[in-house]
């Protein structure tokens, strides 16, 4: 498999736990996501170890700061050799452009978070963002594309509309995925891998269904086979 679509979220608090899980997986079936918790605990050293095992890494640190600081952070992250990094689109045009300039197009993928799905209309009004969240997501995705970033993180429910509004050449990375008949955990709106790909997602971020499975590799293979005929 040349382009695995599953990104396993390594939501652990130690390098040992993350490496134990990585030992059970194979790079041809998945990439790995290292987020704020694991990176704060284990740092670049762990990222390098995971890459040495052959995994592509999505470094999910969601940078959001003044343009100069974000640009420098992106450069250092890309120099680690990771496959993908991200920033907050709410950092605005100047920040997005600075991030883009810091990383050559075609090397490390640079994507943006639009709105955090934890925020509802009231939360958005609290911080002065009026309007309906779907429209704000589209506006932020357009801004992201305008600044030549490679894509956005979005829910599968937003994916079809974003694909329609922004076009094909834009990467959609989607969390909130659950296999058919699986537990939702704390995810409110879930989608199966098949539905997410059908709606236009390119990559699926999947955590607990794989990390807590009795056989994580088998689960990963099953999820891949659910989508294999859709991505050929
Ligand atoms: O275990 P689960 O599959 O729910 O993990 C989903 C991963 O995707 C977690 O790392 C979570 O932080 C991330 N995520 C999410 N919803 C978003 C953005 C990111 O679940 N809107």
């Amino acid at each position: 498999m040349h382009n695995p679509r599953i990104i396993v979220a390594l939501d652990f608090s130690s390098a040992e736990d993350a490496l134990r899980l990585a030992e059970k997986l194979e790079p041809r079936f998945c990439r790995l996501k290292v987020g704020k918790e694991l990176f704060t605990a284990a740092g670049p050293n762990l990222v390098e170890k995971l890459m040495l095992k052959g995994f592509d890494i999505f470094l999910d640190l969601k940078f959001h700061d003044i343009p100069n600081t974000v640009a420098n952070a992106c450069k250092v992250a890309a120099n680690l050799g990771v496959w993908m990094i991200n920033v907050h689109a709410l950092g605005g045009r100047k920040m997005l452009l600075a991030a883009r300039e810091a990383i050559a197009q075609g090397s490390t993928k640079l994507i943006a978070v639009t709105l955090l799905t934890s925020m509802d209309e009231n939360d958005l009004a609290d911080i002065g963002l009026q309007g309906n969240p779907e429209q704000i997501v589209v506006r932020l995705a357009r801004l992201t594309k305008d600044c030549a970033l490679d894509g956005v993180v979005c829910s599968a429910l937003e994916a079809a509309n974003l694909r329609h509004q922004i076009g094909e050449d834009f990467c959609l990375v989607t969390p909130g995925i659950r296999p058919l008949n699986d537990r939702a955990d704390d995810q409110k709106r879930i989608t199966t891998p098949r539905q997410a790909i059908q709606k236009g997602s390119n990559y699926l971020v999947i955590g607990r269904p794989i990390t807590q499975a009795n056989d994580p590799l088998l689960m990963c293979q099953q999820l891949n086979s659910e989508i294999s005929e859709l991505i050929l």
Side-chain angles (χ1 to χ4, degrees):
M1 191 172 294
H2 296 301
N3 183 13
R5 305 307 180 101
I6 292 179
I7 305 173
V8 179
L10 295 181
D11 292 324
F12 296 114
S13 57
S14 75
E16 293 69 34
D17 288 345
L19 288 166
R20 203 171 300 128
L21 197 267
E23 279 302 321
K24 299 179 183 158
L25 297 172
E26 286 183 28
R28 65 192 160 120
F29 295 120
C30 62
R31 304 169 203 262
L32 302 177
K33 179 170 90 69
V34 174
K36 287 187 170 98
E37 180 190 10
L38 183 57
F39 193 76
T40 302
N45 193 269
L46 170 70
V47 171
E48 273 156 21
K49 282 188 182 152
L50 294 169
M51 288 192 307
L52 279 173
K53 292 181 182 296
F55 289 102
D56 280 348
I57 305 298
F58 170 18
L59 192 58
D60 178 21
L61 297 181
K62 301 187 182 71
F63 295 132
H64 186 172
D65 209 313
I66 58 170
N68 182 57
T69 301
V70 167
N72 290 337
C74 286
K75 203 176 290 173
V76 174
N79 283 343
L80 283 175
V82 296
W83 167 70
M84 177 180 272
I85 65 171
N86 60 359
V87 298
H88 270 285
L90 283 169
R93 185 181 297 274
K94 288 199 202 88
M95 192 204 80
L96 294 171
L97 288 172
R100 176 72 284 170
E101 272 174 34
I103 309 181
Q105 225 155 357
S107 60
T108 298
K109 282 186 196 297
L110 174 62
I111 66 167
V113 174
T114 55
L115 288 182
L116 293 172
T117 45
S118 51
M119 299 190 83
D120 62 20
E121 220 154 321
N122 291 331
D123 297 313
L124 295 173
D126 273 347
I127 58 166
L129 278 180
Q130 311 298 340
N132 105 19
E134 288 75 33
Q135 284 166 355
I136 301 175
V137 165
V138 171
R139 202 173 68 228
L140 290 169
R142 282 229 169 85
L143 175 64
T144 301
K145 170 86 174 165
D146 246 25
C147 296
L149 271 67
D150 301 303
V152 291
V153 180
C154 70
S155 86
L157 301 160
E158 297 159 351
N161 187 35
L162 285 178
R163 183 59 74 215
H164 174 71
Q165 306 259 0
I166 316 275
E168 285 305 312
D169 185 22
F170 198 59
C171 180
L172 302 179
V173 177
T174 298
I177 305 290
R178 288 294 176 270
L180 268 180
N181 307 322
D182 199 34
R183 314 180 305 191
D185 299 311
D186 53 356
Q187 296 283 7
K188 296 272 183 325
R189 298 174 304 170
I190 53 175
T191 314
T192 66
R194 228 185 132 73
Q195 286 166 336
I197 296 284
Q198 279 167 338
K199 285 174 190 296
S201 300
N202 302 99
Y203 296 102
L204 313 177
V205 174
I206 308 179
R208 288 159 290 183
I210 293 175
T211 60
Q212 311 296 313
N214 288 330
D215 185 339
L217 181 62
L218 184 64
M219 176 58 83
C220 198
Q221 286 168 322
Q222 279 168 358
L223 296 176
N224 270 303
S225 63
E226 266 192 51
I227 55 174
S228 59
E229 90 224 33
L230 299 175
I231 56 175
L232 285 177

